[in-house]
């Protein structure tokens, strides 16, 4: 688990705010604002943070659903943002995403078997016979009877639809899967079934996951490492056990103080942050967390802290933790 499958370098994804009538640009939403991140082959990286912090935008940029403003996304060492047309097609197969609401990404007019067979024949070049056999196999692998292939998307429950969406991604034999709040809309018992399925498939197919979620207990269960985002930036990144046992960034401490304590871990005092998350169209100067941080000093509003290694594999962007204030 040492080679990076994805390396994000100084990624910016900005969206212009335009007036309705003349389409004049009156501002910029800095959804992702200078993120660098490595994801090792075979690992699951959990990406957490409040709504609007930019985590989904990163996932969508990796699978080319968003066009970055600047920066690089290296897939197996090659920048996918300036790839040739044939490489883009290959990347689109190998880099897949599973969404929170699979219903919107499934064609309501096709049975599941037709949908899978179309993917297998058109995108994987299989014969109709092979595609039929493979679609039954895929349904079995995600825990559905092949007979379910005759159903339409609306005839499934939420958990079953998510299994179908996973089967469709698997049909393309992905190397890297972005799970964007993939279990957030499901009941807790169904959530754990889908998590177990994802973990089994990962071992079976040797995949790598970027697991985006606000459900911290799920992230702790599934991830090897965790990165925490605040307002378009990574503020802390560490192996899962380290970050959940001893978060060092004040934002991570507040975030993790909200989850129930498991036995054997020190009881944390609940930290309630004051105020709202500032707008990504009006990012605070210096440390972008300073408007809500209980430890903010003068320097914090003036100078942006660097992401610095504070322990082996544990990175944090905070002047206080880095001993600068
Ligand atoms: Fe808080 Fe300052 Fe650290 Fe930012 S740099 S998290 S404001 S102490």
């Amino acid at each position: 688990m040492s080679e990076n499958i994805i390396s994000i370098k100084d990624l910016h994804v900005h969206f212009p705010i335009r007036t309705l009538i003349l389409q004049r640009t009156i501002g910029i939403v800095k959804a992702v604002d200078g993120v660098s991140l490595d994801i090792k082959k075979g690992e699951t990286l959990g990406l957490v943070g409040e709504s609007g912090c930019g985590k989904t935008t990163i996932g969508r940029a990796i699978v080319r659903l968003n066009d970055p403003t600047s920066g690089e996304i290296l897939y197996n060492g090659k920048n996918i943002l300036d790839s040739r047309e044939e490489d883009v097609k290959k990347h689109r197969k190998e880099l897949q995403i599973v969404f929170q609401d699979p219903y919107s990404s499934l064609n309501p007019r096709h049975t599941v078997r037709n949908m899978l067979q179309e993917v297998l024949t058109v995108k994987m070049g299989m014969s109709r016979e092979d595609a039929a056999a493979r679609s039954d196999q895929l349904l079995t692998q995600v825990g559905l009877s092949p007979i379910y292939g005759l159903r339409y998307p609306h005839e499934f429950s939420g958990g079953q639809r998510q299994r179908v969406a996973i089967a469709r991604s698997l049909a393309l034999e992905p190397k890297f899967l972005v799970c964007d709040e993939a279990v957030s809309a499901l009941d807790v018992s169904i959530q754990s079934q889908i998590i177990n399925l994802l973990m089994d498939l990962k071992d079976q197919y040797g995949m790598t996951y970027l697991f985006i979620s606000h459900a911290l207990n799920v992230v702790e269960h599934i991830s090897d490492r965790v990165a925490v985002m605040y307002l378009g930036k990574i503020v802390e990144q560490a192996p899962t056990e380290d970050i959940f046992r001893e978060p060092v960034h004040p934002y991570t401490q507040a975030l993790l103080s909200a989850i129930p304590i498991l036995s054997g871990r020190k009881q944390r005092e609940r930290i309630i942050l004051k105020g709202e998350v500032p707008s990504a169209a009006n990012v605070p100067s210096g440390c972008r967390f300073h408007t809500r941080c209980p430890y903010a000093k003068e320097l914090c509003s003036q100078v942006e802290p660097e992401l610095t290694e504070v322990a082996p594999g544990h990175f944090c962007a905070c002047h206080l933790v880095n001993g600068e204030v």
Side-chain angles (χ1 to χ4, degrees):
M1 282 217 321
S2 57
E3 207 183 320
N4 294 328
I5 185 166
I6 294 282
S7 273
I8 297 173
K9 298 196 184 304
D10 199 22
L11 188 75
H12 293 74
V13 187
H14 294 175
F15 300 104
I17 308 169
R18 296 211 164 94
T19 55
L20 211 54
I21 298 176
L22 293 174
Q23 293 287 296
R24 270 190 307 118
T25 302
I26 52 167
I28 303 276
V29 173
K30 296 178 177 174
V32 176
D33 202 23
V35 164
S36 296
L37 193 62
D38 290 332
I39 306 175
K40 298 183 186 91
K41 220 169 245 177
E43 80 168 341
T44 298
L45 179 77
L47 190 56
V48 302
E50 289 161 291
S51 297
C53 67
K55 53 193 192 303
T56 287
T57 310
I58 290 186
R60 291 174 67 91
I62 294 173
V63 298
R64 304 298 308 271
L65 291 175
N66 279 336
D67 280 331
T69 312
S70 64
E72 290 183 349
I73 300 175
L74 307 184
Y75 169 52
N76 287 329
K78 282 194 185 154
N79 186 7
I80 60 172
L81 303 181
D82 54 65
S83 308
R84 293 168 308 165
E85 190 60 31
E86 59 265 35
D87 287 336
V88 172
K89 280 193 192 139
K90 186 167 163 269
H91 296 152
R92 288 226 157 97
K93 277 200 288 193
E94 293 182 0
L95 307 171
Q96 286 290 306
I97 186 164
V98 176
F99 297 102
Q100 177 174 2
D101 174 18
Y103 198 46
S104 57
S105 61
L106 300 175
N107 189 331
R109 286 190 292 274
H110 283 194
T111 63
V112 163
R113 182 176 287 165
N114 281 347
M115 195 171 54
L116 290 174
Q117 287 184 7
E118 191 185 323
V119 171
L120 291 164
T121 50
V122 175
K123 301 211 167 150
M124 301 303 285
M126 281 189 183
S127 67
R128 291 230 50 100
E129 296 73 44
D130 287 350
R134 179 68 180 138
S135 63
D136 286 356
Q137 197 184 33
L138 284 167
L139 288 174
T140 308
Q141 276 177 334
V142 298
L144 293 172
S145 163
I147 201 85
Y148 281 42
L150 301 174
R151 293 188 184 180
Y152 290 87
H154 73 272
E155 295 178 279
F156 290 93
S157 68
Q160 288 171 332
R161 263 200 296 273
Q162 198 56 289
R163 289 176 191 268
V164 171
I166 293 168
R168 197 184 52 179
S169 294
L170 288 182
L172 296 164
E173 297 173 10
K175 304 283 183 276
F176 184 85
L177 191 64
V178 176
C179 300
D180 185 9
E181 301 285 5
V183 297
S184 303
L186 304 174
D187 292 343
V188 175
S189 62
I190 311 292
Q191 255 187 15
S192 53
Q193 289 173 16
I194 300 291
I195 293 292
N196 289 339
L197 170 66
L198 287 169
M199 289 166 94
D200 288 348
L201 293 172
K202 184 176 166 242
D203 291 343
Q204 220 172 313
Y205 284 86
M207 280 191 289
T208 305
Y209 291 157
L210 175 63
F211 194 84
I212 299 170
S213 182
H214 65 268
L216 297 166
N217 48 356
V218 176
V219 170
E220 180 178 14
H221 182 64
I222 198 169
S223 308
D224 298 302
R225 284 188 305 133
V226 174
V228 182
M229 280 192 81
Y230 185 79
L231 217 53
K233 284 260 187 194
I234 304 279
V235 295
E236 187 165 1
Q237 190 186 309
T240 306
E241 212 194 314
D242 296 358
I243 208 163
F244 277 84
R245 195 187 55 238
E246 203 166 347
V248 290
H249 193 283
Y251 176 63
T252 316
Q253 288 172 348
L255 209 60
L256 298 193
S257 77
I259 56 170
I261 300 301
L262 300 175
S263 58
R265 192 185 291 152
K266 210 170 73 189
Q267 181 73 39
R268 278 194 204 110
E269 194 188 329
R270 179 79 203 268
I271 303 166
I272 311 276
L273 292 174
K274 293 196 190 85
E276 296 293 315
V277 184
S279 163
N282 190 16
V283 175
S285 60
C287 170
R288 45 196 75 199
F289 185 56
H290 84 261
T291 55
R292 301 171 80 201
C293 180
Y295 311 108
K297 302 277 185 296
E298 205 182 332
L299 176 75
C300 300
S301 62
Q302 296 162 355
V303 179
E304 185 152 37
E306 298 273 333
L307 199 61
T308 308
E309 191 165 22
V310 292
H314 195 148
F315 296 82
C316 178
C318 171
H319 292 307
L320 192 67
V321 176
N322 298 348
E324 293 155 359
V325 285

